[in-house]
Amino acid sequence: MGKVVITNHPLIQHKLTLLRDKNTGSKEFRALVQEIAMLMCYEATRDLPLQEVEIETPVAMAKTKVISGKTLAFVPILRAGTGMLGGVLELVPSAKVGHIGMYRDPETVKPVPYYCKLPSDISQREVIVLDPMLATGGSAIDAITQIKTYNPKSIKFMGIIAAPEGLEALTTAHPDVDVYCAALDEKLNEHSYIVPGLGDAGDRIFGTK
Ligand code: PRP
Ligand code: URA
């Protein structure tokens, strides 16, 4: 069974309050999504493999550590996942980036896939899937199912707000995937929006409503 980590660091919780506020405009919303993603990435990369190297400081030789191997690929789910990308790339600028395009059909709330472009060496990388909202879990489950066909070394999911229904569905469908979220909210409403949530993440990031 994968880990479920709720990253409830005070800085993240404070920024999340600003993010949820309906009076927060797109400019600030985008900045907050990036900042939260960066702080969460610190936690989600805690178990990256290290290898020992020897370097020379101005004072002496030192045996010290660097991250081992090709390491990471970030895969945002379009659109809203791309809002998290700048933040995680600040921390891991050498990571490769794939994209999965998926939107929720408003009637069925089932994900509709429309795009997939992943790094060619993804089988040698640890993948972190990015999407701020885990509502029914359908989009994350389908995206991870697609990514698994390329045999990456491991897959983690990093969201900002999860509904209990989506978390349950994701951990059941993909028990090998570690899940990182900043908040586990109360429930889904009749339109499968997270309550209290923050509304439509894509629309708030891109100002499309
Ligand atoms: C949102 C969100 C997730 C999905 C979550 O995207 O960014 O991808 O809904 O819902 P689920 O867990 O029930 O699948 P949306 O479908 O609104 O697409 P967009 O980002 O293109 O607006
Ligand atoms: N997608 C969103 O952007 N918000 C929700 O609350 C649910 C799905």
Side-chain angles (χ1 to χ4, degrees):
M1 189 69 173
K3 276 188 294 194
V4 175
V5 180
I6 309 295
T7 52
N8 54 3
H9 188 284
L11 287 174
I12 297 179
Q13 295 307 304
H14 182 89
K15 289 175 192 298
L16 186 53
T17 299
L18 301 173
L19 196 66
R20 288 182 189 277
D21 190 327
K22 69 175 189 181
N23 296 313
T24 299
S26 283
K27 180 168 183 266
E28 194 188 351
F29 192 92
R30 274 195 295 273
L32 287 162
V33 168
Q34 294 213 15
E35 289 163 12
I36 292 170
M38 189 195 299
L39 293 166
M40 292 183 70
C41 185
Y42 178 80
E43 193 56 42
T45 51
R46 185 176 283 284
D47 57 1
L48 279 182
L50 292 169
Q51 69 184 62
E52 194 168 84
V53 292
E54 194 168 42
I55 50 123
E56 194 175 355
T57 78
V59 178
M61 296 303 292
K63 283 197 168 65
T64 183
K65 305 265 173 63
V66 291
I67 288 168
S68 163
K70 290 202 167 167
T71 66
L72 287 181
F74 294 114
V75 180
I77 301 177
L78 306 176
R79 291 176 301 166
T82 60
M84 300 170 77
L85 194 55
V88 296
L89 286 175
E90 281 284 317
L91 281 196
V92 194
S94 62
K96 291 206 175 169
V97 178
H99 291 87
I100 290 199
M102 207 161 256
Y103 70 88
R104 256 186 9 166
D105 182 298
E107 298 299 322
T108 64
V109 302
K110 298 273 178 260
V112 182
Y114 61 87
Y115 187 73
C116 179
K117 179 78 180 172
L118 299 172
S120 55
D121 61 355
I122 196 160
S123 63
Q124 297 167 57
R125 291 183 180 265
E126 324 244 356
V127 169
I128 301 184
V129 177
L130 307 171
D131 193 326
M133 308 307 278
L134 184 66
T136 65
S139 305
I141 290 169
D142 280 17
I144 291 169
T145 301
Q146 278 193 59
I147 295 166
K148 278 187 174 173
T149 64
Y150 296 85
N151 292 315
K153 284 164 88 176
S154 69
I155 304 179
K156 291 175 178 167
F157 176 83
M158 206 173 108
I160 295 181
I161 301 182
E165 295 89 332
L167 186 60
E168 169 75 24
L170 176 56
T171 52
T172 303
H174 295 296
D176 51 328
V177 169
D178 292 344
V179 179
Y180 294 81
C181 288
L184 182 58
D185 273 13
E186 201 184 312
K187 60 177 183 183
L188 294 177
N189 70 12
E190 63 278 20
H191 304 294
S192 293
Y193 271 76
I194 301 175
V195 181
L198 50 72
D200 189 303
D203 283 341
R204 293 198 65 188
I205 291 170
F206 298 109
T208 37
K209 219 166 214 162

